[in-house]
Amino acid sequence: MRSVLCAVVGGVAALRLPALPGDVGLLALAVCAVGLGVAERTRPVGVGLLVAVWVLVAVDQRLTTRLSHDGAVDVVCEAHVVGLPVQGVGRLGLVVDLRDCVGSAEPLPPVLRARVTWYRPVHTLLPGQRWRMPLRLRAPRGHRNFHGFDYETWLFQRGLDATGTLRANAALVQLGDQPVNVDRFRWRLRERLRSLTANLAHGGLVEALAFGSRDRIDANQQQLLSRSGTAHLVAISGLHIGMVASVGFALAAAVWRIAARAGTAPPVSSTLFAGCVGLLLAGGYAALAGFALPTVRALVMLAAAFTVTLSRRRLDGAACLGLAFFAVLLVRPLSLVDAGFWLSFLAVGVILTGLRARRHWPSWQGALWVNGAVGLLLTPVTVWVFGEVHWVSPVANVLLVPLFGLIVVPGVLFAVAVMPVSPTLASVTLGAVDWILSTCLHVLSSLLDALPSGLPTPVSAAALCALGCAAALALLPRSWPLSFCALAAAVLMAFTLPPARPPVGHLRVTVLDVGHGLALVLETATRTLVYDTGPRRGRFDAGAQVVTPAVRAGGHARVDQLVVSHADSDHAGGVVGLLARMPVARVLRPEDGSCRAGVHWTWDKVRFDVLHPGVADRGHENDRSCVLRATTAGGQSLLLLGDVERRGERALLQRGLDSATVMTVPHHGSTTSSSDALLDTVAPALAINSAARAGRFRLPHPRVVARYRARGIPLIGTAQHGAVRFTLPFTDPAAPRWESARADRRWLWHRRLNPARCHGAAC
């Protein structure tokens, strides 16, 4: 166990290094690891250093093949389609291996795996085909916020070296085809399954359970699964691989026993026969899912456990779990940054510890106790990783996990297996599965209506630690009184100790990174205001994926006021996603007259004033953006200008505009705004611009940047710094202090490469 702990420390510390150590540094670390591993006393430290070296080598190899140009690159490449194409509304998502790229002024890596979007496609590209296609490629870079999904890490884990777009009028030339491969086989099976599930209400869920393809899941179904904490049941993961392996093991063991009674048993032990069948079925299911990261991790864990069983060595549960841990790191060293990796090992460790501590209990009591301890221990981890937890989740999972494991998933896989032979039998089976899924979703909906879907008050970090300690104590033998007291204290802390919030009279502001768009979260001592919600593009919804995690991370269970500056999609696109996931007390919009000059309110000694538009203001929608000023008790203020342009700025100045401590750059820094008169009047100590990095509009415009520089106004942008956070009043208005998400919680792949190891001048 000490070796496992040292391996965890070594691997995580390696990923947090400020830079790669280089070949000489890696060699020195490897020599030290071998030297420390010789002596028994220092062997765990040597193991930790060896894991660190292995992780750094994996990161180094991955980074050397990644596109590192700062902007977009227009090239023509030979593209080999891999994986399953994802059909969206007006777009086609592809993963392609790129070779022989030409057209770039700077050298590119010889081989790139890119995630490409084809807008308004004219036909479907099949796995295994090779095409000559013109692409606009970008480095794998995503939005960076203090909380929420890290797209760049997601791309890095999956070995995607670039992202790109293929325009609607692009001329493609087919170079060849490889019709015999695993992905083409998966595609053919998926198309057959789609023809059988076209009229089923839950065909998208069936397809997700069979192939891991989730693009056909209905939005309402996805939201219901997310709210109930059961979305993991339709994402092929270690749970599904383990269930299939268990079912295969049990069936094979039964067949072996029947054959043994008949005298025709295979010339191997029942354990070897059943284990091989279970692993083969699990491997086949992982192949259907495209060998996604969770399925590969589960296969490695199963193979390690099966190897220990066959070796007839007496290893306890902790040793087996440690062996599986090192086996996964050997195959997938970057699993250390995957939340599913930690949740899987934590859950298995809790189960093993709980069963061992209460092995003398009756089986049903031990099972209930362990399930309760698992749920209790995973609750703080789930809140820490995903930002929320649901009361319904434990009940729903207790009901649905066995149902999915024993009926739904085997039924789907049986239908896929018999589909080429008997489509009628497959159709009947899928109809039964669809009815079961319909019943499950109806039960989930009823539970959500009957029970609160989330914690009634936000949980503080101290309460999360207390919940984890209580669960750990609950797993120990004869610890009931102590664990009960710890649990009672944790629940008391959860409802009485709120997370840290700004003092009365102060305002905490977070300008979120949503690409080309705008979204801010403003927090007082007891209230929360959201100004704009960012865009919604394809499957990306800034309101659901960026704004909601930011609000919850601040310890708020609802939004007290939502101000939508105007109806443009880059400002209002995420409204629906936010409203679907969080209660909003009030919405202000200029379109319905609720956001008009003169509207004001005060929260915790912070005054909010709507300055624009007036009742008589006319013009373009941008010029009628809702302009909001927030003034702290000390007199420092924040000015939010939306997308106002020249006409709107003149109206503001004529109405009488005061200076402000901080302002957002109007209209993302376009030349139609940020006039000299506006900047001279507001004279902010800090200006923040929200725009996309290397976006098609190339904002902020150089002429606008020059205006700010000429006046000595610091101009910072979310494109370079990610989300920006600060608290008013500043202690020193002349030197305002702010935090950058890109400077916080950065892994190695968030940083630039060494110039000798990268491609392009942007390194």
Side-chain angles (χ1 to χ4, degrees):
M1 187 55 67
R2 287 186 302 166
S3 298
V4 173
L5 292 176
C6 289
V8 171
V9 173
V12 175
L15 294 174
R16 300 288 290 183
L17 288 176
L20 285 168
D23 295 337
V24 176
L26 288 176
L27 182 60
L29 284 175
V31 171
C32 291
V34 173
L36 291 171
V38 173
E40 184 175 355
R41 229 177 240 186
T42 58
R43 189 167 299 159
V45 179
V47 170
L49 278 179
L50 194 61
V51 169
V53 172
W54 180 241
V55 170
L56 289 172
V57 169
V59 172
D60 184 43
Q61 291 179 345
R62 183 71 56 82
L63 288 178
T64 53
T65 63
R66 193 171 71 157
L67 185 68
S68 54
H69 289 66
D70 194 44
V73 182
D74 292 315
V75 293
V76 178
C77 302
E78 177 186 323
H80 181 215
V81 182
V82 297
L84 298 181
V86 178
Q87 186 69 54
V89 179
R91 66 180 65 197
L92 181 69
L94 302 165
V95 175
V96 292
D97 287 335
L98 303 178
R99 301 174 184 271
D100 301 329
C101 294
V102 296
S104 173
E106 299 179 8
L108 297 177
V111 180
L112 284 170
R113 173 160 289 192
R115 193 184 195 203
V116 175
T117 302
W118 187 9
Y119 293 97
R120 296 189 297 278
V122 295
H123 57 271
T124 300
L125 306 185
L126 305 182
Q129 292 181 340
R130 290 185 298 111
W131 296 81
R132 174 70 63 178
M133 58 175 62
L135 295 167
R136 171 164 288 184
L137 297 179
R138 292 179 174 84
R141 184 182 177 109
H143 305 139
R144 187 75 57 75
N145 291 283
F146 294 102
H147 304 278
F149 180 61
D150 187 348
Y151 181 58
E152 189 171 339
T153 296
W154 184 87
L155 292 172
F156 186 80
Q157 285 180 295
R158 284 150 184 81
L160 295 171
D161 305 309
T163 59
T165 55
L166 180 63
R167 300 191 181 278
N169 56 356
L172 276 67
V173 179
Q174 186 169 358
L175 302 177
D177 192 4
Q178 185 185 358
V180 181
N181 60 63
V182 174
D183 288 330
R184 181 68 68 88
F185 179 69
R186 293 175 62 218
W187 179 82
R188 289 172 180 157
L189 285 178
R190 191 186 71 170
E191 293 305 305
R192 287 189 182 183
L193 185 68
R194 283 188 173 182
S195 65
L196 294 178
T197 60
N199 298 322
L200 298 181
H202 305 89
L205 297 178
V206 171
E207 185 177 316
L209 289 170
F211 303 103
S213 178
R214 308 181 66 182
D215 53 301
R216 287 186 61 216
I217 299 179
D218 181 79
N220 294 327
Q221 297 171 359
Q222 196 164 10
Q223 181 181 344
L224 178 61
L225 293 170
S226 177
R227 290 176 57 205
S228 60
T230 55
H232 65 95
L233 293 177
V234 295
I236 300 177
S237 61
L239 174 65
H240 300 73
I241 299 297
M243 290 188 299
V244 169
S246 300
V247 171
F249 186 92
L251 291 177
V255 169
W256 193 94
R257 286 194 296 269
I258 294 173
R261 292 174 184 172
T264 58
V268 293
S269 66
S270 61
T271 303
L272 178 61
F273 178 74
C276 289
V277 171
L279 279 178
L280 285 175
L281 289 179
Y285 192 20
L288 280 180
F291 291 107
L293 285 177
T295 62
V296 173
R297 182 173 62 240
L299 278 178
V300 173
M301 292 178 67
L302 286 172
F306 186 49
T307 302
V308 171
T309 302
L310 291 180
S311 67
R312 300 181 182 275
R313 297 190 63 181
R314 294 185 177 181
L315 297 179
D316 58 7
C320 291
L321 191 63
L323 179 63
F325 177 86
F326 286 112
V328 172
L329 284 188
L330 181 65
V331 178
R332 297 280 186 177
L334 299 180
S335 295
L336 287 170
V337 296
D338 185 10
F341 171 82
W342 298 106
L343 290 173
S344 298
F345 277 99
L346 182 61
V348 174
V350 169
I351 291 172
L352 291 176
T353 305
L355 291 178
R356 182 179 179 182
R358 283 161 178 80
R359 56 184 177 270
H360 302 300
W361 285 25
S363 58
W364 66 272
Q365 291 184 9
L368 287 177
W369 182 268
V370 170
N371 283 331
V374 169
L376 185 62
L377 187 57
L378 292 186
T379 292
V381 179
T382 304
V383 175
W384 184 265
V385 174
F386 300 106
E388 60 177 325
V389 69
H390 301 269
W391 293 115
V392 173
S393 181
V395 179
N397 280 283
V398 167
L399 295 175
L400 296 186
V401 168
L403 185 65
F404 270 66
L406 298 177
I407 299 178
V408 175
V409 174
V412 170
L413 295 181
F414 175 77
V416 172
V418 303
M419 191 168 47
V421 180
S422 177
T424 303
L425 179 59
S427 181
V428 172
T429 304
L430 292 173
V433 170
D434 184 70
W435 178 84
I436 294 173
L437 290 174
S438 178
T439 304
C440 291
L441 293 186
H442 177 72
V443 171
L444 282 180
S445 180
S446 301
L447 286 172
L448 288 174
D449 292 338
L451 297 173
S453 59
L455 290 175
T457 57
V459 181
S460 65
L464 294 182
C465 294
L467 283 172
C469 293
L473 289 171
L475 293 172
L476 300 176
R478 295 183 297 277
S479 63
W480 168 250
L482 185 59
S483 62
F484 179 79
C485 295
L487 178 60
V491 172
L492 181 63
M493 293 173 65
F495 289 96
T496 58
L497 296 180
R501 291 173 179 166
V504 174
H506 288 60
L507 180 68
R508 184 165 61 199
V509 182
T510 306
V511 184
L512 300 172
D513 182 10
V514 294
H516 182 76
L518 183 65
L520 295 93
V521 177
L522 281 64
E523 303 168 77
T524 67
T526 61
R527 303 293 186 93
T528 306
L529 182 144
V530 172
Y531 182 89
D532 283 345
T533 58
R536 180 178 182 179
R537 295 185 298 268
R539 300 181 71 87
F540 172 68
D541 187 322
Q545 300 171 19
V546 179
V547 180
T548 300
V551 173
R552 285 180 174 149
H556 305 284
R558 71 168 191 169
V559 175
D560 297 286
Q561 192 101 284
L562 170 61
V563 179
V564 184
S565 65
H566 61 300
D568 278 2
S569 60
D570 57 331
H571 292 251
V575 169
V576 175
L578 176 64
L579 294 176
R581 286 160 178 79
M582 292 201 76
V584 176
R586 187 185 179 193
V587 181
L588 299 184
R589 300 173 180 264
E591 292 81 12
D592 59 11
S594 57
C595 194
R596 282 284 184 263
V599 176
H600 62 88
W601 65 94
T602 301
W603 290 343
D604 305 313
K605 297 183 180 181
V606 178
R607 181 181 172 90
F608 296 84
D609 294 277
V610 176
L611 307 181
H612 185 77
V615 177
D617 287 338
R618 297 291 182 269
H620 190 270
E621 187 176 48
N622 286 348
D623 282 319
R624 290 183 282 110
S625 294
C626 184
V627 176
L628 181 68
R629 177 195 292 274
T631 307
T632 64
Q636 296 186 21
S637 60
L638 168 71
L639 183 62
L640 307 178
L641 291 161
D643 268 358
V644 294
E645 299 181 81
R646 292 191 183 95
R647 185 170 181 173
E649 291 181 3
R650 286 197 299 268
L652 277 168
L653 294 172
Q654 290 171 2
R655 199 173 287 123
L657 186 62
D658 297 328
S659 62
T661 311
V662 182
M663 65 174 279
T664 58
V665 176
H667 204 196
H668 315 287
S670 68
T671 56
T672 59
S673 57
S674 295
S675 63
D676 292 331
L678 178 74
L679 297 184
D680 290 336
T681 302
V682 178
L686 184 66
I688 302 174
N689 187 51
S690 180
R693 183 180 181 86
R696 57 175 178 160
F697 300 112
R698 305 292 181 180
L699 299 177
H701 195 277
R703 291 205 301 268
V704 174
V705 174
R707 294 175 199 164
Y708 285 88
R709 287 179 177 172
R711 291 162 176 80
I713 301 173
L715 177 61
I716 60 177
T718 58
Q720 295 76 29
H721 300 283
V724 176
R725 184 168 59 195
F726 57 91
T727 300
L728 290 177
F730 291 133
T731 54
D732 183 5
R737 300 186 62 180
W738 48 275
E739 299 177 77
S740 165
R742 289 199 180 275
D744 185 38
R745 296 166 45 205
R746 301 201 306 173
W747 301 103
L748 271 173
W749 49 90
H750 292 151
R751 305 181 179 92
R752 296 296 186 191
L753 289 167
N754 295 327
R757 290 182 173 271
C758 64
H759 308 270
C763 300

